Amino acid sequence: MKTIRVAAAIIVQDGRIFATQRGYGAFRDFWEFPGGKIEAGESPRDTIRREIREELAAEVTPVRHFATVEYDYPDFHLSMECYISRLDSGKLTLLEHEAAKWLSQDELGTVNWLPADLSLIQDLKTAPLDI
């Protein structure tokens, strides 16, 4: 099975977490942490910076590694590096996503997460979000 390596930003601000809703593809309308595929020669942190610039027109700093998610979708294996990230500049502007929300830790269960992202939710509900 093909493996796809991605990096995701868990953007935290004022104790809340930024979530985006997909507007395309097989998982349209599911919620996710923004990010994308790791390109050849690129680190997960560099991927996050590039993807947030491209998808949300903002600058972030991946502050600390939170988790590595390994998940088998029907057509591929996903290996996802997730980083607690800080918004440095810019207004998060949706360039690719359908919608977005800032969620408190208690609200994380209120959206329909992608299967791979869902595995992070329980840990995020109790994780320290200080950056």
Side-chain angles (χ1 to χ4, degrees):
M1 187 181 308
K2 176 181 168 182
T3 295
I4 296 177
R5 293 185 62 233
V6 301
I10 301 168
I11 302 170
V12 175
Q13 187 171 18
D14 300 325
R16 294 163 44 117
I17 297 169
F18 191 71
T20 54
Q21 187 178 31
R22 292 174 67 93
Y24 56 90
F27 289 96
R28 181 187 174 116
D29 296 331
F30 280 79
W31 289 78
E32 65 183 351
F33 298 106
K37 290 181 186 174
I38 299 172
E39 294 182 356
E42 193 175 49
S43 74
R45 288 175 190 262
D46 289 340
T47 298
I48 287 171
R49 288 183 193 97
R50 176 182 53 76
E51 287 284 344
I52 299 307
R53 223 176 277 125
E54 292 173 1
E55 293 179 5
L56 298 166
E59 298 294 326
V60 297
T61 296
V63 176
R64 70 176 183 274
H65 185 264
F66 182 74
T68 300
V69 173
E70 302 290 338
Y71 189 86
D72 287 327
Y73 281 99
D75 298 332
F76 63 94
H77 175 80
L78 180 77
S79 181
M80 180 170 59
E81 299 293 335
C82 304
Y83 284 78
I84 299 289
S85 301
R86 177 185 66 237
L87 178 62
D88 290 329
S89 65
K91 180 180 177 230
L92 294 167
T93 304
L94 300 182
L95 302 176
E96 293 186 16
H97 294 90
E98 189 172 313
K101 291 183 181 185
W102 285 101
L103 301 169
S104 69
Q105 286 172 294
D106 292 339
E107 295 171 321
L108 288 172
T110 65
V111 298
N112 190 20
W113 292 99
L114 283 170
D117 289 21
L118 188 59
S119 67
L120 298 167
I121 300 308
Q122 209 49 44
D123 289 338
L124 276 171
K125 284 182 178 181
T126 58
L129 296 180
D130 54 311
I131 48 175

